């Protein structure tokens, strides 16, 4: 039996991590009541494998990082290829084996992040990104993508409270607005796969929206 790949997407501070944990708890409880319960795992890109954890460090460390200080700068195409390398490894090591065992996988970011950040944000050619995504995934698409749509300023206000910011978060406001525009255009282009969640609402309300979609979609 094949499992399900459910991806959470959105800009920084959309609440993906928060919502994925709550969704995992809720889904696990629902599955426990069934005769053949599926197990639910949470994973992420970049960083869902041991190699990915190293790549994540390279991709997200700010300018103060000792490792990055050894490089002049990360070129946009290098950045793109590192995200693709992380994804290829993640699929072989984590996604495919768990899908084959019938798991429900909740994944923090996937191919749409590459379109939104490297395509719309960095302005790398979208056809090239599509080809690279195909090569990295071998055609494995999400079964459902939940786009947590939050206003850019609100997302940034939430992450600012952490007091630290990673290399991507340090990009300027116009970059983050292009990324947001990218997610909006993807949701319009693929309505059968991408469902919009109003993530400006409070945590509980956002979780209710997610549960109501998954109840219809999974059960
Ligand atoms: N990237 C990734 C690419 O450029 N290309 C790619 O192909 C891929 C895969 C990954 C970075 O890599 C980039 C995108 C990213 O820049 P990340 O850590 O996975 O980095 O992603 P971030 O979005 O940076 O993670 P964040 O932690 O910033 O955002 P989340 O997970 O969406 O938000 P969360 O849940 O941690 O919440 C942030 C804060 O807001 C509060 C939480 O308590 C927390 O303090 N909060 C709320 N407050 C009020 N109301 C709500 N509804 C709230 N929900 C959460």
């Amino acid at each position: 039996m094949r499992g399900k790949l459910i991806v959470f997407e959105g800009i920084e501070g959309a609440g993906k991590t928060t919502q994925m944990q709550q969704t995992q708890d809720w889904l696990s409880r629902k599955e426990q009541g069934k005769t053949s319960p599926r197990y639910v795992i949470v994973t992420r890109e970049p960083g869902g494998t041991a190699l990915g954890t190293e790549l994540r460090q390279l991709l997200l460390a700010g300018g103060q990082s000792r490792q990055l200080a050894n490089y002049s700068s990360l070129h946009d195409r290098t950045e793109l290829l590192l995200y693709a390398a992380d994804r290829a490894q993640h699929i072989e090591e984590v996604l495919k084996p768990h899908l084959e065992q019938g798991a429900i996988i909740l994944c923090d970011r996937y191919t749409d992040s590459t379109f939104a950040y490297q395509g719309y944000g960095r302005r790398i050619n979208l056809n090239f990104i599509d080809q690279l995504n195909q090569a990295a995934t071998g055609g494995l698409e999400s079964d459902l993508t939940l786009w947590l749509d939050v206003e850019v300023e609100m997302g940034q206000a939430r992450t600012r409270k952490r007091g630290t910011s990673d290399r991507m978060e340090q990009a300027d406001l116009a970059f983050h607005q292009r990324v947001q525009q990218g997610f909006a255009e993807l949701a319009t282009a693929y309505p059968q796969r991408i469902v919009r969640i109003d993530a400006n609402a409070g945590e509980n309300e956002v979780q209710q929206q997610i549960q109501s979609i998954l109840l219809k979609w999974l059960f």
Side-chain angles (χ1 to χ4, degrees), residues 33-51:
K34 293 167 68 177
T35 37
S36 316
R38 291 169 286 189
Y39 64 100
V40 186
I41 66 157
V42 163
T43 185
R44 68 176 177 181
E45 290 189 2
T49 62
L51 175 71

Side-chain angles (χ1 to χ4, degrees), residues 12-13 15-18 56 83 109 114 117-118 162 168 201:
E12 273 77 6
K16 300 178 305 303
T17 312
T18 309
R56 183 183 175 91
Y83 279 115
R109 300 190 180 280
T114 317
Y117 282 83
Q118 281 64 52
R162 278 201 288 251
M168 301 297 286

Side-chain angles (χ1 to χ4, degrees), residues 9-19 44-46 56 59-60 79 83-84 86-87 108-115 117-118 133 148 154-155 158-159 161-162 166 168-169 175-176 199-204 206:
E9 290 280 12
I11 58 169
E12 273 77 6
K16 300 178 305 303
T17 312
T18 309
Q19 294 301 330
R44 68 176 177 181
E45 290 189 2
R56 183 183 175 91
L59 281 160
L60 299 187
E79 177 186 280
Y83 279 115
D86 168 78
R87 180 160 303 133
D108 196 338
R109 300 190 180 280
Y110 195 54
T111 48
D112 292 324
S113 274
T114 317
F115 277 116
Y117 282 83
Q118 281 64 52
N133 272 341
L148 272 57
M154 185 178 285
R158 288 178 188 169
T159 57
K161 284 191 191 152
R162 278 201 288 251
D166 65 40
M168 301 297 286
E169 286 167 350
F175 171 84
H176 291 287
N200 296 300
E203 276 180 33
N204 291 342
V206 175

Side-chain angles (χ1 to χ4, degrees), residues 21-213:
Q21 289 303 336
Q22 292 184 18
T23 306
Q24 183 185 29
D25 293 346
W26 171 73
L27 275 179
S28 302
R29 281 197 305 274
K30 282 201 81 66
E31 286 294 320
Q32 271 164 21
K34 293 167 68 177
T35 37
S36 316
R38 291 169 286 189
Y39 64 100
V40 186
I41 66 157
V42 163
T43 185
R44 68 176 177 181
E45 290 189 2
T49 62
L51 175 71
T53 303
E54 301 283 329
L55 293 172
R56 183 183 175 91
Q57 176 65 19
L58 286 174
L59 281 160
L60 299 187
Q64 73 280 15
S65 153
R66 196 158 47 85
Q67 282 131 309
L68 269 192
N70 296 328
Y71 313 124
S72 48
S73 67
L74 201 54
H75 191 280
D76 290 352
R77 269 183 294 132
T78 315
E79 177 186 280
L80 170 67
L81 292 167
L82 289 174
Y83 279 115
D86 168 78
R87 180 160 303 133
Q89 186 72 17
H90 188 220
I91 287 169
E92 294 306 325
E93 220 178 283
V94 178
L95 300 188
K96 274 193 194 165
H98 285 291
L99 286 173
E100 277 160 20
Q101 289 177 50
I104 300 175
I105 303 178
L106 307 180
C107 185
D108 196 338
R109 300 190 180 280
Y110 195 54
T111 48
D112 292 324
S113 274
T114 317
F115 277 116
Y117 282 83
Q118 281 64 52
Y120 289 80
R122 303 284 192 224
R123 296 195 169 111
I124 297 177
N125 182 281
L126 293 175
N127 287 331
F128 177 60
I129 292 182
D130 191 32
Q131 286 169 9
L132 189 64
N133 272 341
Q134 286 293 330
T137 63
L140 179 70
E141 286 189 0
S142 73
D143 293 295
L144 176 71
T145 297
L146 299 171
W147 169 39
L148 272 57
D149 179 13
V150 70
E151 284 167 20
V152 175
E153 290 78 5
M154 185 178 285
Q156 292 193 332
R158 288 178 188 169
T159 57
R160 260 199 303 273
K161 284 191 191 152
R162 278 201 288 251
T164 56
S165 60
D166 65 40
R167 194 181 61 86
M168 301 297 286
E169 286 167 350
Q170 286 160 13
D172 62 26
L173 182 64
F175 171 84
H176 291 287
Q177 283 166 338
R178 288 199 300 277
V179 172
Q180 174 73 334
Q181 177 67 19
F183 281 123
E185 289 188 18
L186 287 163
T188 305
Y190 302 102
Q192 70 292 359
R193 177 175 63 80
I194 304 178
V195 177
R196 177 186 174 272
I197 306 284
D198 178 4
N200 296 300
E203 276 180 33
N204 291 342
E205 200 182 310
V206 175
Q207 181 59 204
Q208 286 309 315
Q209 292 179 58
I210 291 171
Q211 290 183 11
S212 116
I213 286 158

